[in-house]
């Protein structure tokens, strides 16, 4: 649960081996209580590059679900750590879902591999050390990528499946 005394932001650490452009994010979550407002944030370090506020009243029925947000396209530099985070903005909390593996190498079996991991922070302080054996169910929407060889690009999601959703 987000908004505890230990952490009030949970993040999916992301790092791509090539430049990409992203224009959205998604996360498996439960808003916890009716009207629980929250934000999706795309970070470089502790600097928010994009912030999308979600009105908890607009979501409807409580329960686990995938929430997707769209934001203006943002270019991510190759081999640079970014984070997609969830942060509640009301007194209520939200829950995000994650899973653990016994060894970090097991994450090589899912999109993003070990370059996608888990971190938290409290009261907009420093980010925790990355937990290399935990992954949030979430990701970013890739609008363009550059392999450095050819021209072109296309809109894809990164995370749920390679070439579909980066981050799961």
């Amino acid at each position: 649960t987000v908004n505890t005394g230990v952490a009030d932001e949970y993040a999916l650490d992301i790092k791509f081996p090539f430049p990409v452009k992203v224009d959205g994010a998604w996360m498996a979550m439960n808003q916890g209580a009716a009207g629980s407002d929250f934000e999706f944030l795309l970070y470089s370090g502790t600097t928010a590059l994009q912030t999308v506020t979600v009105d908890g009243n607009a979501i409807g029925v409580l329960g686990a679900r995938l929430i997707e947000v769209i934001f203006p396209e943002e270019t991510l530099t190759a081999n640079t750590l970014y984070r997609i985070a969830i942060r509640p903005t009301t007194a209520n909390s939200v829950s995000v879902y994650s899973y653990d593996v016994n060894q970090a190498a097991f994450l090589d079996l899912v999109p993003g591999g070990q370059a996608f991991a888990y971190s938290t922070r409290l009261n907009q302080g420093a980010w925790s050390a990355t937990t290399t054996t935990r992954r949030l169910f979430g990701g970013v929407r890739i609008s363009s990528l550059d392999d450095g060889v050819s021209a072109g690009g296309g809109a894809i999601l990164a995370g749920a499946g390679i070439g579909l959703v980066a981050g799961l």
Side-chain angles (χ1 to χ4, degrees):
T1 299
V2 180
N3 207 16
T4 66
V6 177
D8 59 6
E9 283 186 81
Y10 283 27
L12 175 68
D13 297 2
I14 57 175
K15 186 187 299 184
F16 291 95
F18 43 77
V20 300
K21 292 182 181 178
V22 298
D23 65 359
W26 63 274
M27 205 160 289
M29 60 178 298
N30 183 339
Q31 70 188 106
S36 296
D37 300 337
F38 57 93
E39 295 175 321
F40 270 83
L41 299 106
L42 173 64
Y43 286 105
S44 175
T46 56
T47 302
L49 303 174
Q50 298 289 340
T51 302
V52 177
T53 300
V54 179
D55 179 353
N57 293 313
I59 294 176
V61 180
L62 298 178
R65 66 189 68 233
L66 291 178
I67 303 292
E68 181 181 6
V69 298
I70 306 300
F71 48 75
E73 191 172 64
E74 189 73 46
T75 300
L76 306 184
T77 305
N79 301 309
T80 302
L81 176 64
Y82 295 92
R83 290 180 173 89
I84 206 69
I86 293 285
R87 175 174 67 198
T89 56
T90 62
N92 298 316
S93 64
V94 297
S95 295
V96 294
Y97 296 94
S98 64
Y99 62 95
D100 294 304
V101 295
N102 288 332
Q103 300 175 25
F106 288 148
L107 291 175
D108 290 336
L109 299 171
V110 296
Q114 295 179 55
F116 285 59
Y118 173 93
S119 62
T120 62
R121 72 180 185 161
L122 179 63
N123 297 328
Q124 299 181 343
W127 288 102
S128 68
T130 297
T131 303
T132 59
T133 56
R134 181 171 291 162
R135 170 81 61 91
L136 284 181
F137 284 106
V140 293
R141 190 170 93 159
I142 298 174
S143 56
S144 176
L145 48 93
D146 182 2
D147 63 5
V149 177
S150 60
I156 57 176
L157 292 177
I162 198 77
L164 291 177
V165 180
L168 177 64

